[in-house]
Amino acid sequence: MSTTTAFRDRYGASPLHLLLVLASFALAVYAGLRLLKGDTLGVAMWFVGAALLHDLVLLPLYAVTDRAVQAVFERTAGAGKPVPRASVNYVRVPAFVSGVLLLVWWPLVFRQVGHYTASTALPGDGFLARWLLITAGLFAASAAVLLVRTWRGTGAVRRAARAQKQARKATK
């Protein structure tokens, strides 16, 4: 057994992956130390508050929303048990991307940064409309991909059923 195989058996990935993970941890520690040099108590309170907001408010909110979307897209199996379909991902992906964009651009989307125009000499309005357009475009593109895949899938099912019907006729 080679050293790489033994390493992969124990670690589960390549040595390059381990190196990149360790580098990302080092970068996170460096950023955390730089962040805590200023207002340590304020940063700690913000971090704890963000964790509590996520765990007590946001997690239950998007878990319930995801269950509702799954209920819309689920189908029943032969035993009558509901089986979630992969179609729910056509809602999850654009919602996730839209949420990340909102998280990154939150102050500008909701006009909570008064000094933006003074600092950049760019107008600070229009971010809400752009975010809504991007969100609508993401959901429209996702719906188009779902429709194309559904249409191609049903065509394949129809072709298979037609071929099976012709095979049965040929054997009679």
Coordinates of all heavy atoms in Angstrom, one line a residue, residues 65-162:
T65 N -40.2 26.8 5.2 CA -40.4 27.2 3.8 C -40.0 26.1 2.9 O -40.7 25.7 1.9 CB -39.6 28.5 3.4 OG1 -40.0 29.5 4.3 CG2 -39.9 28.9 2.0
D66 N -38.8 25.4 3.2 CA -38.4 24.3 2.4 C -39.3 23.1 2.4 O -39.6 22.5 1.4 CB -37.0 23.9 2.8 CG -36.4 22.8 1.9 OD1 -36.2 23.1 0.7 OD2 -36.0 21.7 2.4
R67 N -39.9 22.9 3.6 CA -40.9 21.8 3.7 C -42.1 22.1 2.9 O -42.7 21.2 2.3 CB -41.3 21.6 5.2 CG -40.2 21.0 6.1 CD -39.9 19.6 5.8 NE -38.9 19.1 6.7 CZ -38.4 17.9 6.7 NH1 -38.9 17.1 5.8 NH2 -37.5 17.6 7.5
A68 N -42.5 23.4 2.9 CA -43.7 23.7 2.1 C -43.4 23.5 0.6 O -44.3 23.0 -0.1 CB -44.1 25.2 2.4
V69 N -42.3 23.9 0.2 CA -41.9 23.7 -1.3 C -41.8 22.2 -1.6 O -42.2 21.8 -2.6 CB -40.6 24.5 -1.6 CG1 -40.1 24.1 -3.0 CG2 -40.8 26.0 -1.5
Q70 N -41.3 21.4 -0.7 CA -41.2 20.0 -0.9 C -42.6 19.4 -1.0 O -42.8 18.5 -1.8 CB -40.4 19.3 0.3 CG -38.9 19.5 0.2 CD -38.2 18.7 1.3 OE1 -38.8 17.9 2.0 NE2 -37.0 19.1 1.5
A71 N -43.5 19.9 -0.2 CA -44.9 19.4 -0.2 C -45.5 19.7 -1.6 O -46.3 18.9 -2.1 CB -45.7 20.0 0.9
V72 N -45.2 20.8 -2.2 CA -45.7 21.2 -3.5 C -45.2 20.2 -4.5 O -45.9 19.8 -5.4 CB -45.4 22.7 -3.8 CG1 -45.7 23.0 -5.3 CG2 -46.2 23.6 -2.9
F73 N -43.9 19.9 -4.4 CA -43.3 19.1 -5.5 C -43.2 17.6 -5.2 O -42.7 16.9 -6.0 CB -41.8 19.6 -5.7 CG -41.7 20.9 -6.5 CD1 -41.4 22.0 -5.9 CD2 -42.0 20.9 -7.8 CE1 -41.3 23.2 -6.6 CE2 -41.9 22.1 -8.6 CZ -41.6 23.2 -7.9
E74 N -43.8 17.1 -4.1 CA -43.6 15.7 -3.8 C -44.7 14.9 -4.6 O -45.7 15.3 -5.0 CB -43.7 15.4 -2.3 CG -45.1 15.5 -1.7 CD -45.1 15.3 -0.2 OE1 -44.0 15.2 0.4 OE2 -46.1 15.2 0.3
R75 N -44.3 13.6 -4.8 CA -45.2 12.7 -5.5 C -45.3 11.5 -4.6 O -44.5 11.3 -3.7 CB -44.6 12.3 -6.9 CG -43.3 11.7 -6.8 CD -42.7 11.5 -8.2 NE -41.3 11.3 -8.1 CZ -40.7 10.1 -8.1 NH1 -41.4 9.0 -8.3 NH2 -39.4 10.0 -8.0
T76 N -46.3 10.6 -4.9 CA -46.5 9.4 -4.0 C -45.8 8.2 -4.7 O -45.9 8.1 -5.9 CB -47.9 9.2 -3.8 OG1 -48.6 9.1 -5.0 CG2 -48.6 10.3 -2.9
A77 N -45.2 7.4 -3.9 CA -44.6 6.2 -4.4 C -45.7 5.1 -4.5 O -46.8 5.3 -4.2 CB -43.5 5.7 -3.6
G78 N -45.3 3.9 -4.9 CA -46.2 2.8 -5.0 C -46.9 2.4 -3.7 O -48.0 2.1 -3.6
A79 N -46.2 2.6 -2.6 CA -46.8 2.2 -1.3 C -47.6 3.4 -0.7 O -48.0 3.3 0.5 CB -45.6 1.9 -0.3
G80 N -47.8 4.5 -1.4 CA -48.5 5.6 -0.9 C -47.7 6.6 -0.1 O -48.2 7.5 0.5
K81 N -46.4 6.3 0.1 CA -45.5 7.2 0.8 C -45.1 8.4 -0.1 O -44.8 8.1 -1.2 CB -44.3 6.4 1.4 CG -44.6 5.3 2.3 CD -43.4 4.6 2.7 CE -42.9 5.1 4.0 NZ -41.7 4.3 4.4
P82 N -45.1 9.6 0.5 CA -44.6 10.7 -0.3 C -43.1 10.6 -0.6 O -42.3 10.3 0.3 CB -45.0 11.9 0.5 CG -45.1 11.4 1.9 CD -45.5 10.0 1.8
V83 N -42.7 10.9 -1.8 CA -41.3 10.9 -2.2 C -41.0 12.3 -2.7 O -41.6 12.7 -3.7 CB -41.0 9.8 -3.3 CG1 -39.6 9.9 -3.7 CG2 -41.4 8.5 -2.8
P84 N -40.0 13.0 -2.1 CA -39.7 14.3 -2.6 C -39.0 14.2 -3.9 O -38.2 13.3 -4.2 CB -38.7 14.9 -1.5 CG -38.2 13.7 -0.8 CD -39.3 12.6 -0.9
R85 N -39.4 15.1 -4.8 CA -38.8 15.1 -6.2 C -37.6 16.1 -6.2 O -37.5 17.0 -5.4 CB -39.9 15.6 -7.2 CG -41.0 14.6 -7.2 CD -42.1 15.0 -8.2 NE -41.6 14.9 -9.5 CZ -42.3 15.2 -10.6 NH1 -43.5 15.7 -10.5 NH2 -41.7 15.0 -11.8
A86 N -36.8 15.9 -7.2 CA -35.6 16.7 -7.4 C -36.0 18.1 -7.9 O -35.2 19.0 -7.9 CB -34.7 16.1 -8.4
S87 N -37.3 18.3 -8.3 CA -37.8 19.6 -8.8 C -37.7 20.7 -7.7 O -37.7 21.8 -8.1 CB -39.2 19.4 -9.3 OG -39.3 18.4 -10.2
V88 N -37.7 20.3 -6.5 CA -37.6 21.3 -5.4 C -36.3 22.1 -5.5 O -36.2 23.2 -5.1 CB -37.8 20.6 -4.0 CG1 -36.6 19.8 -3.6 CG2 -38.1 21.7 -3.0
N89 N -35.3 21.5 -6.1 CA -34.0 22.2 -6.3 C -34.1 23.4 -7.2 O -33.3 24.3 -7.2 CB -32.9 21.2 -6.7 CG -32.6 20.2 -5.6 OD1 -32.7 20.5 -4.4 ND2 -32.1 19.1 -6.0
Y90 N -35.1 23.3 -8.1 CA -35.3 24.4 -9.0 C -35.9 25.7 -8.3 O -35.9 26.8 -8.9 CB -36.2 24.0 -10.2 CG -35.5 23.0 -11.1 CD1 -35.7 21.7 -10.9 CD2 -34.7 23.5 -12.1 CE1 -35.1 20.8 -11.7 CE2 -34.0 22.5 -12.9 CZ -34.2 21.2 -12.7 OH -33.6 20.3 -13.5
V91 N -36.3 25.5 -7.1 CA -36.7 26.6 -6.2 C -35.6 27.0 -5.3 O -35.3 28.1 -5.0 CB -38.0 26.3 -5.5 CG1 -38.4 27.4 -4.5 CG2 -39.1 26.1 -6.5
R92 N -34.9 25.9 -4.7 CA -33.9 26.1 -3.7 C -32.7 26.9 -4.3 O -32.2 27.8 -3.6 CB -33.3 24.8 -3.2 CG -34.2 24.1 -2.3 CD -33.6 22.8 -1.9 NE -34.4 22.0 -1.0 CZ -34.3 20.7 -0.8 NH1 -33.4 20.0 -1.5 NH2 -35.1 20.1 0.0
V93 N -32.2 26.6 -5.5 CA -31.0 27.2 -6.0 C -31.2 28.7 -6.2 O -30.4 29.5 -5.7 CB -30.5 26.5 -7.3 CG1 -29.4 27.3 -7.9 CG2 -30.1 25.1 -6.9
P94 N -32.2 29.2 -7.0 CA -32.4 30.6 -7.1 C -32.7 31.3 -5.8 O -32.2 32.5 -5.6 CB -33.5 30.8 -8.2 CG -34.2 29.5 -8.2 CD -33.2 28.4 -7.8
A95 N -33.4 30.7 -4.9 CA -33.7 31.3 -3.6 C -32.4 31.5 -2.8 O -32.1 32.5 -2.2 CB -34.7 30.5 -2.8
F96 N -31.5 30.5 -2.9 CA -30.2 30.6 -2.2 C -29.3 31.7 -2.8 O -28.8 32.5 -2.1 CB -29.5 29.2 -2.3 CG -28.1 29.3 -1.7 CD1 -27.9 29.3 -0.3 CD2 -27.0 29.3 -2.5 CE1 -26.6 29.4 0.2 CE2 -25.7 29.4 -2.0 CZ -25.5 29.4 -0.7
V97 N -29.2 31.7 -4.1 CA -28.4 32.7 -4.8 C -29.0 34.1 -4.5 O -28.2 35.1 -4.2 CB -28.3 32.5 -6.3 CG1 -27.6 33.6 -7.0 CG2 -27.6 31.2 -6.5
S98 N -30.3 34.3 -4.6 CA -30.9 35.5 -4.3 C -30.7 36.0 -2.8 O -30.4 37.1 -2.5 CB -32.4 35.5 -4.6 OG -33.0 36.6 -4.2
G99 N -30.7 35.0 -1.9 CA -30.5 35.3 -0.5 C -29.1 35.7 -0.2 O -28.8 36.6 0.5
V100 N -28.1 35.1 -0.9 CA -26.7 35.5 -0.7 C -26.5 36.9 -1.3 O -25.8 37.7 -0.7 CB -25.8 34.4 -1.4 CG1 -24.4 35.0 -1.5 CG2 -25.8 33.1 -0.6
L101 N -27.1 37.2 -2.4 CA -26.9 38.5 -3.0 C -27.6 39.6 -2.1 O -27.0 40.6 -1.9 CB -27.6 38.6 -4.4 CG -26.9 37.9 -5.5 CD1 -27.7 37.9 -6.8 CD2 -25.5 38.5 -5.8
L102 N -28.7 39.2 -1.5 CA -29.3 40.2 -0.5 C -28.5 40.3 0.7 O -28.3 41.4 1.2 CB -30.7 39.7 -0.1 CG -31.5 40.6 0.9 CD1 -31.7 41.9 0.3 CD2 -32.8 39.9 1.3
L103 N -27.9 39.2 1.2 CA -27.0 39.3 2.4 C -25.8 40.2 2.1 O -25.4 41.0 2.9 CB -26.6 37.9 2.8 CG -25.7 37.8 4.0 CD1 -26.5 38.2 5.2 CD2 -25.2 36.4 4.2
V104 N -25.2 40.1 0.9 CA -24.0 40.8 0.6 C -24.3 42.3 0.4 O -23.6 43.2 0.9 CB -23.3 40.2 -0.6 CG1 -22.2 41.2 -1.2 CG2 -22.7 38.9 -0.3
W105 N -25.4 42.6 -0.3 CA -25.8 44.0 -0.7 C -26.9 44.6 0.2 O -27.5 45.6 -0.2 CB -26.2 44.0 -2.1 CG -25.1 43.6 -3.0 CD1 -25.0 42.4 -3.7 CD2 -23.9 44.3 -3.4 NE1 -23.8 42.3 -4.4 CE2 -23.1 43.5 -4.2 CE3 -23.4 45.6 -3.0 CZ2 -21.9 43.9 -4.7 CZ3 -22.2 46.0 -3.6 CH2 -21.5 45.2 -4.4
W106 N -27.1 44.0 1.4 CA -28.2 44.4 2.2 C -28.3 45.9 2.5 O -29.3 46.6 2.3 CB -28.1 43.7 3.6 CG -29.1 44.1 4.6 CD1 -29.0 45.2 5.5 CD2 -30.4 43.5 4.9 NE1 -30.1 45.3 6.2 CE2 -31.0 44.2 5.9 CE3 -31.0 42.4 4.4 CZ2 -32.2 43.9 6.4 CZ3 -32.3 42.1 4.9 CH2 -32.8 42.8 5.9
P107 N -27.2 46.6 2.9 CA -27.2 48.0 3.2 C -27.6 48.8 2.0 O -28.4 49.8 2.1 CB -25.8 48.4 3.7 CG -25.2 47.1 4.1 CD -25.9 46.0 3.2
L108 N -27.1 48.4 0.8 CA -27.4 49.2 -0.4 C -28.8 48.9 -0.9 O -29.5 49.8 -1.4 CB -26.4 48.9 -1.5 CG -25.0 49.5 -1.2 CD1 -24.0 49.0 -2.2 CD2 -25.0 51.0 -1.1
V109 N -29.3 47.7 -0.8 CA -30.6 47.3 -1.3 C -31.7 48.1 -0.5 O -32.6 48.6 -1.0 CB -30.8 45.8 -1.2 CG1 -32.3 45.5 -1.4 CG2 -30.0 45.1 -2.2
F110 N -31.5 48.2 0.8 CA -32.4 48.9 1.7 C -32.0 50.3 2.0 O -32.5 50.9 3.0 CB -32.7 48.1 2.9 CG -33.4 46.8 2.6 CD1 -32.8 45.6 2.6 CD2 -34.7 46.8 2.2 CE1 -33.4 44.4 2.3 CE2 -35.4 45.7 1.8 CZ -34.7 44.4 1.9
R111 N -31.1 50.9 1.3 CA -30.6 52.3 1.4 C -30.3 52.6 2.9 O -30.7 53.7 3.4 CB -31.7 53.2 0.9 CG -32.0 53.1 -0.5 CD -33.0 54.0 -1.0 NE -33.3 53.8 -2.4 CZ -34.4 54.2 -3.0 NH1 -35.4 54.8 -2.3 NH2 -34.6 53.9 -4.3
Q112 N -29.4 51.8 3.5 CA -29.0 52.1 4.9 C -27.6 52.6 4.9 O -27.0 52.6 6.0 CB -29.2 50.8 5.7 CG -30.6 50.4 5.9 CD -30.8 49.2 6.7 OE1 -29.8 48.6 7.1 NE2 -32.0 48.8 7.0
V113 N -27.0 53.0 3.8 CA -25.7 53.5 3.8 C -25.7 54.9 3.2 O -25.8 55.1 2.0 CB -24.7 52.6 3.0 CG1 -23.3 53.2 3.0 CG2 -24.7 51.2 3.6
G114 N -25.7 55.9 4.1 CA -25.8 57.3 3.6 C -24.6 57.8 2.9 O -24.6 58.7 2.0
H115 N -23.4 57.3 3.3 CA -22.1 57.8 2.7 C -21.7 57.1 1.5 O -20.6 57.4 1.0 CB -21.0 57.7 3.8 CG -20.8 56.3 4.2 ND1 -21.5 55.7 5.1 CD2 -19.8 55.4 3.8 CE1 -21.0 54.4 5.3 NE2 -20.0 54.3 4.5
Y116 N -22.5 56.3 0.9 CA -22.1 55.5 -0.3 C -21.8 56.4 -1.5 O -20.8 56.3 -2.2 CB -23.2 54.5 -0.7 CG -22.9 53.7 -1.9 CD1 -22.0 52.7 -1.9 CD2 -23.5 54.0 -3.1 CE1 -21.6 52.0 -3.1 CE2 -23.2 53.3 -4.3 CZ -22.3 52.3 -4.3 OH -22.0 51.6 -5.4
T117 N -22.7 57.4 -1.7 CA -22.6 58.3 -2.9 C -21.4 59.2 -2.7 O -20.6 59.4 -3.6 CB -23.8 59.1 -3.1 OG1 -24.9 58.2 -3.3 CG2 -23.7 60.0 -4.3
A118 N -21.2 59.7 -1.4 CA -20.0 60.5 -1.2 C -18.7 59.8 -1.3 O -17.7 60.3 -1.7 CB -20.1 61.1 0.3
S119 N -18.7 58.5 -1.0 CA -17.4 57.7 -1.0 C -17.1 57.2 -2.4 O -15.9 57.1 -2.8 CB -17.5 56.5 -0.1 OG -17.7 56.9 1.2
T120 N -18.1 56.9 -3.2 CA -17.9 56.3 -4.5 C -18.2 57.2 -5.7 O -17.9 56.9 -6.8 CB -18.7 55.0 -4.7 OG1 -20.1 55.4 -4.7 CG2 -18.3 54.0 -3.6
A121 N -18.9 58.3 -5.5 CA -19.4 59.2 -6.5 C -20.4 58.5 -7.4 O -20.6 58.9 -8.6 CB -18.3 59.9 -7.3
L122 N -21.0 57.4 -7.0 CA -22.0 56.7 -7.7 C -23.3 56.9 -7.0 O -23.4 57.0 -5.8 CB -21.6 55.2 -7.8 CG -20.3 54.9 -8.6 CD1 -20.0 53.4 -8.4 CD2 -20.5 55.2 -10.0
P123 N -24.4 56.8 -7.8 CA -25.7 56.9 -7.2 C -26.0 55.7 -6.3 O -25.7 54.6 -6.7 CB -26.7 57.1 -8.3 CG -26.0 56.5 -9.5 CD -24.5 56.7 -9.2
G124 N -26.7 55.9 -5.2 CA -27.0 54.8 -4.3 C -28.4 54.2 -4.4 O -28.7 53.3 -3.8
D125 N -29.1 54.8 -5.4 CA -30.5 54.2 -5.6 C -30.4 53.2 -6.7 O -29.5 53.1 -7.5 CB -31.5 55.3 -5.9 CG -31.0 56.1 -7.1 OD1 -29.9 56.0 -7.5 OD2 -31.9 56.9 -7.6
G126 N -31.5 52.4 -6.8 CA -31.6 51.4 -7.9 C -31.1 50.0 -7.5 O -31.3 49.1 -8.2
F127 N -30.6 49.8 -6.3 CA -30.1 48.5 -5.9 C -31.3 47.6 -5.6 O -31.2 46.4 -5.9 CB -29.2 48.6 -4.7 CG -27.8 49.0 -5.1 CD1 -27.4 50.4 -5.0 CD2 -26.8 48.1 -5.5 CE1 -26.1 50.8 -5.3 CE2 -25.6 48.5 -5.8 CZ -25.2 49.9 -5.7
L128 N -32.3 48.1 -5.0 CA -33.5 47.2 -4.8 C -34.1 46.7 -6.1 O -34.4 45.5 -6.2 CB -34.6 48.0 -4.0 CG -35.9 47.2 -3.7 CD1 -35.6 46.0 -2.9 CD2 -36.9 48.1 -3.0
A129 N -34.3 47.6 -7.1 CA -34.8 47.2 -8.3 C -33.9 46.2 -9.0 O -34.4 45.2 -9.6 CB -35.0 48.5 -9.2
R130 N -32.6 46.4 -9.0 CA -31.7 45.5 -9.6 C -31.7 44.1 -8.9 O -31.7 43.1 -9.6 CB -30.3 46.1 -9.6 CG -30.1 47.2 -10.5 CD -28.7 47.7 -10.4 NE -28.6 49.1 -11.0 CZ -27.9 50.1 -10.5 NH1 -27.1 49.8 -9.4 NH2 -27.9 51.2 -11.0
W131 N -31.8 44.1 -7.6 CA -31.8 42.9 -6.9 C -33.1 42.1 -7.2 O -33.1 40.9 -7.4 CB -31.7 43.1 -5.4 CG -31.9 41.8 -4.6 CD1 -30.9 40.8 -4.5 CD2 -33.0 41.4 -3.9 NE1 -31.5 39.8 -3.7 CE2 -32.7 40.2 -3.3 CE3 -34.2 42.0 -3.6 CZ2 -33.6 39.5 -2.5 CZ3 -35.2 41.3 -2.8 CH2 -34.8 40.1 -2.3
L132 N -34.2 42.8 -7.3 CA -35.5 42.2 -7.7 C -35.5 41.7 -9.1 O -36.0 40.6 -9.3 CB -36.7 43.2 -7.5 CG -37.0 43.5 -6.0 CD1 -38.0 44.7 -6.0 CD2 -37.5 42.3 -5.3
L133 N -34.8 42.4 -10.0 CA -34.7 41.9 -11.4 C -33.8 40.7 -11.5 O -34.1 39.7 -12.2 CB -34.2 43.0 -12.3 CG -35.2 44.1 -12.7 CD1 -34.5 45.2 -13.4 CD2 -36.3 43.5 -13.6
I134 N -32.7 40.7 -10.7 CA -31.8 39.5 -10.7 C -32.6 38.3 -10.1 O -32.5 37.2 -10.7 CB -30.5 39.9 -10.0 CG1 -29.7 40.8 -10.8 CG2 -29.7 38.6 -9.7 CD1 -28.5 41.4 -10.0
T135 N -33.3 38.6 -9.1 CA -34.1 37.5 -8.4 C -35.1 36.9 -9.4 O -35.2 35.7 -9.6 CB -34.7 37.9 -7.1 OG1 -33.7 38.4 -6.2 CG2 -35.5 36.9 -6.5
A136 N -35.8 37.8 -10.0 CA -36.8 37.4 -11.0 C -36.2 36.6 -12.2 O -36.7 35.6 -12.6 CB -37.6 38.6 -11.6
G137 N -35.0 37.1 -12.6 CA -34.3 36.4 -13.7 C -33.8 35.0 -13.3 O -33.9 34.1 -14.1
L138 N -33.3 34.9 -12.0 CA -32.9 33.6 -11.5 C -34.0 32.6 -11.5 O -33.9 31.5 -11.9 CB -32.3 33.8 -10.1 CG -30.9 34.4 -10.1 CD1 -30.6 34.8 -8.6 CD2 -29.9 33.5 -10.6
F139 N -35.2 33.0 -11.0 CA -36.3 32.1 -10.9 C -36.9 31.8 -12.3 O -37.3 30.7 -12.6 CB -37.4 32.7 -10.0 CG -37.2 32.5 -8.5 CD1 -36.6 33.4 -7.7 CD2 -37.5 31.2 -8.0 CE1 -36.4 33.2 -6.4 CE2 -37.3 31.0 -6.7 CZ -36.7 31.9 -5.8
A140 N -36.9 32.8 -13.2 CA -37.3 32.6 -14.6 C -36.4 31.6 -15.3 O -36.9 30.7 -16.0 CB -37.4 33.9 -15.3
A141 N -35.1 31.7 -15.1 CA -34.2 30.8 -15.7 C -34.3 29.4 -15.2 O -34.3 28.4 -15.9 CB -32.7 31.3 -15.6
S142 N -34.5 29.3 -13.9 CA -34.7 28.0 -13.2 C -36.0 27.4 -13.7 O -36.0 26.2 -14.0 CB -34.7 28.2 -11.7 OG -34.8 27.0 -11.1
A143 N -37.0 28.2 -13.8 CA -38.3 27.6 -14.3 C -38.2 27.1 -15.8 O -38.7 26.1 -16.2 CB -39.4 28.7 -14.2
A144 N -37.4 27.9 -16.6 CA -37.2 27.5 -18.0 C -36.4 26.2 -18.1 O -36.8 25.3 -18.9 CB -36.5 28.6 -18.7
V145 N -35.4 26.0 -17.2 CA -34.6 24.8 -17.2 C -35.5 23.6 -16.8 O -35.5 22.5 -17.3 CB -33.4 24.9 -16.3 CG1 -32.7 23.6 -16.1 CG2 -32.4 25.9 -16.9
L146 N -36.3 23.9 -15.7 CA -37.3 22.8 -15.3 C -38.2 22.4 -16.4 O -38.5 21.2 -16.6 CB -38.0 23.3 -14.0 CG -39.1 22.4 -13.5 CD1 -38.5 21.0 -13.0 CD2 -39.9 23.0 -12.4
L147 N -38.8 23.4 -17.1 CA -39.7 23.1 -18.2 C -39.1 22.3 -19.3 O -39.6 21.3 -19.8 CB -40.4 24.4 -18.7 CG -41.4 25.1 -17.8 CD1 -41.8 26.4 -18.4 CD2 -42.6 24.2 -17.6
V148 N -37.9 22.7 -19.7 CA -37.2 22.0 -20.7 C -36.9 20.6 -20.3 O -37.1 19.6 -21.1 CB -35.9 22.8 -21.1 CG1 -35.0 21.9 -22.0 CG2 -36.3 24.0 -21.9
R149 N -36.4 20.4 -19.1 CA -36.0 19.1 -18.6 C -37.3 18.2 -18.5 O -37.2 17.0 -18.7 CB -35.3 19.1 -17.3 CG -33.8 19.6 -17.5 CD -33.0 19.4 -16.4 NE -31.6 19.8 -16.7 CZ -30.7 19.8 -15.8 NH1 -30.9 19.5 -14.5 NH2 -29.4 20.1 -16.2
T150 N -38.4 18.8 -18.0 CA -39.6 18.1 -17.9 C -40.1 17.7 -19.3 O -40.5 16.5 -19.5 CB -40.7 18.9 -17.1 OG1 -40.2 19.3 -15.9 CG2 -42.0 18.1 -17.0
W151 N -40.1 18.6 -20.2 CA -40.5 18.3 -21.6 C -39.7 17.2 -22.2 O -40.2 16.3 -22.8 CB -40.5 19.6 -22.4 CG -40.9 19.4 -23.8 CD1 -42.2 19.1 -24.3 CD2 -40.1 19.4 -24.9 NE1 -42.1 19.0 -25.6 CE2 -40.9 19.1 -26.1 CE3 -38.7 19.6 -25.1 CZ2 -40.3 19.1 -27.3 CZ3 -38.2 19.6 -26.4 CH2 -39.0 19.3 -27.5
R152 N -38.4 17.3 -22.1 CA -37.5 16.3 -22.6 C -37.7 14.9 -21.9 O -37.6 13.9 -22.6 CB -36.0 16.7 -22.5 CG -35.7 17.9 -23.5 CD -34.3 18.3 -23.4 NE -33.5 17.3 -24.1 CZ -32.2 17.2 -24.0 NH1 -31.6 18.1 -23.2 NH2 -31.5 16.3 -24.6
G153 N -37.9 15.0 -20.6 CA -38.2 13.7 -19.9 C -39.5 13.1 -20.3 O -39.5 11.9 -20.4
T154 N -40.5 13.9 -20.4 CA -41.8 13.3 -20.8 C -41.7 12.7 -22.2 O -42.4 11.7 -22.6 CB -43.0 14.3 -20.7 OG1 -42.7 15.4 -21.4 CG2 -43.2 14.6 -19.2
G155 N -40.9 13.4 -23.1 CA -40.8 12.9 -24.4 C -40.1 11.5 -24.4 O -40.4 10.6 -25.2
A156 N -39.1 11.4 -23.6 CA -38.4 10.1 -23.5 C -39.3 9.0 -22.9 O -39.2 7.9 -23.4 CB -37.1 10.3 -22.6
V157 N -40.1 9.4 -21.9 CA -41.1 8.4 -21.4 C -42.1 8.0 -22.5 O -42.4 6.8 -22.6 CB -41.8 9.0 -20.2 CG1 -43.0 8.2 -19.7 CG2 -40.8 9.2 -19.0
R158 N -42.6 9.0 -23.2 CA -43.5 8.6 -24.3 C -42.9 7.7 -25.4 O -43.5 6.8 -25.8 CB -44.0 9.9 -25.0 CG -45.2 10.5 -24.2 CD -45.8 11.7 -25.0 NE -45.3 12.9 -24.4 CZ -44.8 13.9 -25.0 NH1 -44.9 14.0 -26.3 NH2 -44.4 14.9 -24.4
R159 N -41.6 8.1 -25.7 CA -40.9 7.2 -26.7 C -40.7 5.8 -26.2 O -40.9 4.8 -26.9 CB -39.6 7.9 -27.1 CG -39.7 9.0 -28.0 CD -38.4 9.4 -28.6 NE -37.4 9.9 -27.6 CZ -37.4 11.1 -27.1 NH1 -38.2 12.0 -27.6 NH2 -36.5 11.5 -26.2
A160 N -40.4 5.7 -24.9 CA -40.2 4.4 -24.3 C -41.5 3.6 -24.3 O -41.5 2.4 -24.6 CB -39.6 4.5 -22.9
A161 N -42.6 4.3 -23.9 CA -43.9 3.6 -23.9 C -44.3 3.2 -25.3 O -44.9 2.1 -25.5 CB -44.9 4.5 -23.3
R162 N -44.1 4.0 -26.3 CA -44.4 3.7 -27.7 C -43.6 2.5 -28.1 O -44.2 1.6 -28.8 CB -44.2 4.9 -28.6 CG -44.8 4.8 -29.9 CD -44.6 6.0 -30.8 NE -44.9 7.3 -30.1 CZ -44.0 8.3 -30.0 NH1 -42.9 8.2 -30.6 NH2 -44.3 9.4 -29.3

